Amino acid sequence: TFTYTHAHKHLRYQAQAHSDPIHITHAEFVQKAKAYRKTSKGSDGFLASELAHMPSVASGDIVDALNAACAEFVVPHQLLHNLNPLLGKPSGVRTICKTPMQYRIMAQCDHSVEQWESQYTASYDTCGKGRSALQAALFRATLAEVSVAQSRHVGGVFHDFSKSFDSIHTPTLIQQATAAQFPLPALCLALSQHLSPRTIQFQDSCSPHISIQQSIIAGWKFSVALTRALLLGKIGRAHV
């Protein structure tokens, strides 16, 4: 606990000293809320459509509050809570994670991570916007076929990660992401939300809050970008 707390406080101090805070406009907030596709409520009880169509005097105050928090490089404490509903699966149960809708729309308005990914996504990284895992697999298969046809040896090294997102060590992520020039304001806010207390939800019943000290939320907007920042240096050095 102390290690994560110390690392996150240091990250916030770095962001305050060396970065401009994230600032969102009311017009873009409403636009992103209208374009948001999911129809379920966030953990804050809001639908995206409600944020998109509420009177501007109300949504304007929400945007002002979010910008005031961003100016301090924090997430409003009212949003620091994630719900994990139980879903039945053929092999058992797993959860999805419902984050606050206000934070989701705010994250949609922040383009700093997209700009970082466009600059730092390596040529060998086939996970990203406009890239295809199928094309990468076909390319590897073609190389293997050509090698065999030329009587050469061919091989591959594959990593099978189990519970990768759940096992990410937060201080290490902060260290590696900072070294990779990941946008500090976005990193600071994202980790605040990722490591917020979680509650298991089953129908109308909820568990007590569960304190989170490591892991990031899978399937969230910045999840792949955070893992890319974590692995960029080590994978880059290993790539030939």
Side-chain angles (χ1 to χ4, degrees):
T1 303
F2 173 80
T3 302
Y4 159 67
T5 302
H6 176 77
H8 194 268
K9 283 184 177 180
H10 182 67
L11 169 63
R12 181 169 174 260
Y13 294 150
Q14 281 187 301
Q16 288 176 313
H18 303 293
S19 307
D20 294 326
I22 294 169
H23 181 82
I24 60 177
T25 65
H26 178 259
E28 186 174 19
F29 184 84
V30 173
Q31 178 188 3
K32 294 296 185 182
K34 288 180 178 179
Y36 196 77
R37 296 181 180 179
K38 293 184 179 180
T39 57
S40 58
K41 290 186 176 182
S43 62
D44 54 357
F46 275 111
L47 294 167
S49 58
E50 291 174 334
L51 294 174
H53 297 102
M54 67 173 50
S56 58
V57 65
S59 58
D61 282 347
I62 290 176
V63 172
D64 288 343
L66 292 174
N67 279 326
C70 288
E72 298 296 329
F73 299 90
V74 297
V75 174
H77 71 270
Q78 295 91 340
L79 304 184
L80 293 176
H81 179 223
N82 301 314
L83 286 176
N84 288 67
L86 287 175
L87 299 177
K89 292 293 175 180
S91 59
V93 296
R94 71 170 179 85
T95 68
I96 60 171
C97 190
K98 297 171 65 174
T99 54
M101 188 61 66
Q102 296 170 75
Y103 184 81
R104 295 187 214 175
I105 304 303
M106 182 178 73
Q108 294 286 334
C109 297
D110 177 23
H111 305 289
S112 62
V113 176
E114 293 177 9
Q115 294 168 0
W116 177 86
E117 286 191 286
S118 67
Q119 183 178 356
Y120 285 90
T121 299
S123 60
Y124 55 81
D125 190 344
T126 58
C127 180
K129 188 175 182 180
R131 305 194 178 198
S132 169
L134 176 59
Q135 290 182 1
L138 291 173
F139 180 69
R140 289 194 299 267
T142 301
L143 289 178
E145 292 288 347
V146 171
S147 298
V148 171
Q150 295 180 341
S151 300
R152 296 182 178 181
H153 295 288
V154 61
V157 178
F158 299 92
H159 297 279
D160 185 11
F161 293 100
S162 176
K163 301 186 183 299
S164 176
F165 287 103
D166 290 334
S167 61
I168 289 178
H169 184 243
T170 308
T172 302
L173 172 59
I174 292 174
Q175 181 183 28
Q176 295 297 324
T178 302
Q181 303 298 312
F182 195 92
L184 296 185
L187 179 63
C188 193
L189 299 181
L191 288 181
S192 294
Q193 193 64 59
H194 275 277
L195 295 165
S196 298
R198 301 178 193 175
T199 297
I200 303 297
Q201 184 182 37
F202 178 69
Q203 297 182 352
D204 295 330
S205 301
C206 294
S207 73
H209 292 339
I210 300 171
S211 179
I212 306 298
Q213 305 301 333
Q214 68 176 26
S215 86
I216 60 174
I217 301 169
W220 189 63
K221 179 175 174 60
F222 295 151
S223 298
V224 172
L226 290 174
T227 56
R228 179 171 289 123
L230 174 66
L231 300 173
L232 184 62
K234 293 182 178 179
I235 298 297
R237 289 191 296 270
H239 179 72
V240 178

